[in-house]
Amino acid sequence: MNLKKNLTITETFALAVLNHKKSNLKIAEKLYVKALKINPNYFDAYNNLGILHNQLGEYRKAMSCFEKAVKIEPKNAGAQNNLGFVFKELGEYLKAKSCYDKAIQIQPNAAAYNNLGFILKELGEYQQSIISYKRAIKINPKNDAAHYNLANTLKELGEYKKAINCYNNAIEINPKNDAAHFNLANTFKKLGEYK
């Protein structure tokens, strides 16, 4: 990477974001790190660097970045949600749940409710999971992931007809949701409706 050394922090960060969007992840990473050397309390650089590490499956590095971002801006719902996602990927469901709860307290949003629903299901709290998915859908009726996840939970509880409706909703919103098509077919199979 051959960059001018006298870039301002704003220019460095903007260049990092540009490279990140173009999937030049190694260059973006170096630029985010450079921005953090200029300002070690740069929230956006930590948050974006965490997103980058998450994309690469480097969950421990992502966790470290998001924890630093949350320490700088504890009232940022997006950063709390991002940290929760990494904890989920690491199988640390109670920590993930705590982050999603904080994100929702700060700013109720469909993504955090959907993510919380998934964690609650994993923890065996099915009714709370359903409530969380329904809240996500109420906030954003076009959130196909929430419809899909709700369907999976209902299917697991044996509520096949309701699950079918939710899978159909997910497919109507996103016809390319292959998992919804697959699980819808399996649900019909469970009901003996082979056609």
Side-chain angles (χ1 to χ4, degrees), residues 28-193:
E29 179 180 7
K30 288 179 184 178
L31 289 163
Y32 289 134
V33 169
K34 183 176 178 182
L36 288 166
K37 284 180 183 173
I38 299 168
N39 178 2
N41 291 313
Y42 197 167
F43 168 83
D44 289 326
Y46 275 122
N47 196 52
N48 285 18
L49 187 56
I51 292 168
L52 185 147
H53 286 305
N54 187 48
Q55 286 175 283
L56 294 171
E58 299 170 342
Y59 300 121
R60 295 278 173 204
K61 287 182 180 180
M63 179 183 67
S64 175
C65 291
F66 291 136
E67 285 177 333
K68 289 172 183 169
V70 164
K71 189 173 182 182
I72 294 165
E73 287 190 25
K75 297 285 186 193
N76 187 295
Q80 291 285 357
N81 195 42
N82 290 339
L83 181 56
F85 181 83
V86 171
F87 282 134
K88 176 191 75 110
E89 292 299 306
L90 293 170
E92 298 183 35
Y93 295 145
L94 292 177
K95 288 182 179 179
K97 181 181 180 301
S98 175
C99 291
Y100 295 140
D101 284 336
K102 287 176 189 171
I104 289 165
Q105 282 178 339
I106 296 164
Q107 181 183 13
N109 63 82
Y113 274 119
N114 182 50
N115 292 337
L116 178 62
F118 180 87
I119 293 298
L120 291 166
K121 178 180 169 266
E122 293 299 305
L123 293 171
E125 299 178 30
Y126 294 102
Q127 294 309 315
Q128 290 304 313
S129 173
I130 290 168
I131 290 168
S132 194
Y133 291 135
K134 286 181 177 180
R135 287 180 178 157
I137 292 166
K138 185 175 182 182
I139 292 170
N140 180 4
K142 297 291 184 190
N143 185 331
D144 70 304
H147 287 281
Y148 172 75
N149 289 331
L150 175 58
N152 286 338
T153 303
L154 292 167
K155 179 181 167 193
E156 201 164 314
L157 293 172
E159 297 185 34
Y160 300 126
K161 296 284 187 189
K162 289 180 182 178
I164 287 168
N165 288 335
C166 292
Y167 286 130
N168 281 327
N169 289 338
I171 292 166
E172 185 177 321
I173 295 163
N174 179 7
K176 293 182 180 182
N177 187 331
D178 295 336
H181 285 283
F182 179 81
N183 285 328
L184 175 61
N186 279 332
T187 307
F188 278 125
K189 183 179 174 185
K190 283 199 176 283
L191 291 171
E193 296 181 25

